[in-house]
Amino acid sequence: MPIDMMIRKVRLHTGLTEEDTAALRSIVSSVRDLGAGTSIIQEGEISSHCCVMLSGFSYRAKVSDGGKRQILSFHIAGDMPDLHGMFLKRMDHDLTTLTQARVGFIDHRALRQVISLRPAVAEALWRETLIDAVLFREWIVSLGTRPAAARMAYLVAELRQRLAAIDMVAEDQFRFPVTQAKLAEALGLSAVHVNRVLQSFRAQGILDIHDSVVTLRDIEKIVEIGGFNELNLQPLESA
Amino acid sequence: MPIDMMIRKVRLHTGLTEEDTAALRSIVSSVRDLGAGTSIIQEGEISSHCCVMLSGFSYRAKVSDGGKRQILSFHIAGDMPDLHGMFLKRMDHDLTTLTQARVGFIDHRALRQVISLRPAVAEALWRETLIDAVLFREWIVSLGTRPAAARMAYLVAELRQRLAAIDMVAEDQFRFPVTQAKLAEALGLSAVHVNRVLQSFRAQGILDIHDSVVTLRDIEKIVEIGGFNELNLQPLESA
DNA sequence: CGATATATTGACAGGAGTCAAAGAGGGTGG
DNA sequence: CCACCCTCTTTGACTCCTGTCAATATATCG
């Protein structure tokens, strides 16, 4: 029952009834397995449906003038990374799979209907988009105020927390198939410098990223270096 | 008719009826004039109401570990910078007036009621929060990929566009009472460096910030340097 | 007219970028 | 089974953008 991945997360933050979740589940019109690096939507497109990550990773990215690409966020099972496409005319960024991923698609029209009939669902989804914004804000703080190592640590700490919520963290390890080049694009650093930071972390026994796996050697330190405050994710809880 | 400032903007992006806007207007429970530097809400607070900027400027900010403060966004008349407080338990950032400002307050309960009765209003407000996220994403791109001068130029170009939409730009000048220190906090730079960038812009006849006024000496260049794409704000139009 | 906030300068340090080359894996095809 | 290619990682040298520190204007204001 992979689709329940979506439900699981939405439920985390709200009090959806069984019927509500069933309604959501019922409008997932198709589920596809996409290979790594598949584009789900691109900047400028107008889409008629949105998607739910059921497994795997994806990321949002945007190219700025000069050709540099900025990764805006990583997405995991349960996320609906293009939900906003329902209300904004054009996508303002790309959405691409990072790994092979199972993705469910929901037609905007069907979703609109569920929303109009079920205020609780509307609220839950609205809240999802607001949580998205909370993460963006943290990201802005990271890019604006933290040095390279701290950004790296913060990213790892945040991912760990989000992945833990869907039981994807085991033994202080989690799968995260990202290249150093992509980390660089996410952190606003050069790939070379990402490599150096990573090596320093390895040398200090703080963390390691190897073969698509992140190993947390010293969580306390990661959290400290990254200035990660779990409380920052408290506002995510329902009002 | 200051409250219509709110309506004007919300209408920009949607097709609210006259009754819808009237409903919104009717629940503004109080309007207050706040002095510059007044805190509207602070991180961690749980609020029972949200606000609409009717005049003046405000900004969202967040302090990261190490005491550095990051300004997340500036807000102008028509904005509802803490709308998300209705659905997220705690504020994840501060909201402070930059200048003297007239602010309208709306009770969450009243707003919830209007929302539940008027789907169009719900959609319009949801969209407002999504537009917020669009701006955050652009901001992330700026911080992650652009050098100091470009960030500065981008900020000016974005503000210009937003202010123009509410007729607050005249003769290539607009009021924006910000100190270099605050610009630094917004741009993720040191105040000293902001000063240097500004001087270089002055010397090149590109733009000038003086006595709370931004003067655009060469808009084309500002847009070019900042990598500002007006199309980026196209997605803001209704779907 | 001091007192406090903001803007400006200069000297210096340092984090991060760039460039370029060399390893390391992992497939693939002969 | 090995050569070859491609992507990703690692290194080293050097540059440079931006930060830090500290001192000096300028402004503003009671």
Side-chain angles (χ1 to χ4, degrees), chain B residues 4 12 23 43 54 62 81 93 96 98 109 116 127 129-130 136 150-151 220 222 226 236 239:
Chain B
D4 284 326
L12 261 182
E43 184 171 346
L54 301 175
K62 200 165 168 147
H93 60 265
T96 312
L98 179 63
R109 250 178 318 161
S116 70
R127 177 173 291 129
T129 64
L130 294 174
F136 284 141
R151 288 185 217 169
E220 311 229 327
I222 294 171
L236 308 192

Side-chain angles (χ1 to χ4, degrees), chain B residues 36 65 95 112-113 138-139 180 184 191 194-195 200 202 214 231:
Chain B
D65 53 304
L95 178 60
R112 273 202 137 89
Q113 192 157 33
E138 262 308 335
W139 210 235
Q180 294 182 1
V194 164
N195 182 281
S200 143
R202 264 177 222 143
V214 177
L231 290 179

Side-chain angles (χ1 to χ4, degrees), chain A residues 179-180 195-196 199 202:
Chain A
T179 64
Q180 294 180 3
N195 182 278
R196 292 195 265 244
Q199 285 183 59
R202 263 177 224 143

Side-chain angles (χ1 to χ4, degrees), chain A residues 48-61:
Chain A
S48 59
H49 49 75
C50 55
C51 73
V52 195
M53 298 293 300
L54 300 176
S55 75
F57 293 82
S58 63
Y59 62 93
R60 300 200 265 219

Side-chain angles (χ1 to χ4, degrees), chain A residues 221-232:
Chain A
K221 225 162 204 156
I222 294 171
V223 167
E224 182 197 329
I225 293 173
F228 182 77
N229 187 350
E230 5 183 2
L231 290 180
N232 290 348

Side-chain angles (χ1 to χ4, degrees), chain B residues 13 15 39 46 51 56 60-61 70 83-84 109 112 133 147 208 220 233:
Chain B
H13 309 298
S39 166
I46 301 174
C51 72
R60 300 200 265 219
Q70 176 68 38
L83 188 50
H84 55 286
R109 250 178 318 161
R112 273 202 137 89
D208 197 355
E220 311 229 327
L233 301 188

Side-chain angles (χ1 to χ4, degrees), chain A residues 14 18 29 38 41 62 105 123 140 146 172 191 200 235:
Chain A
T14 54
E18 194 44 62
S29 63
T38 306
I41 346 176
K62 201 167 167 145
F105 293 91
E123 182 169 331
I140 288 174
R146 297 196 252 256
D172 293 347
S200 144

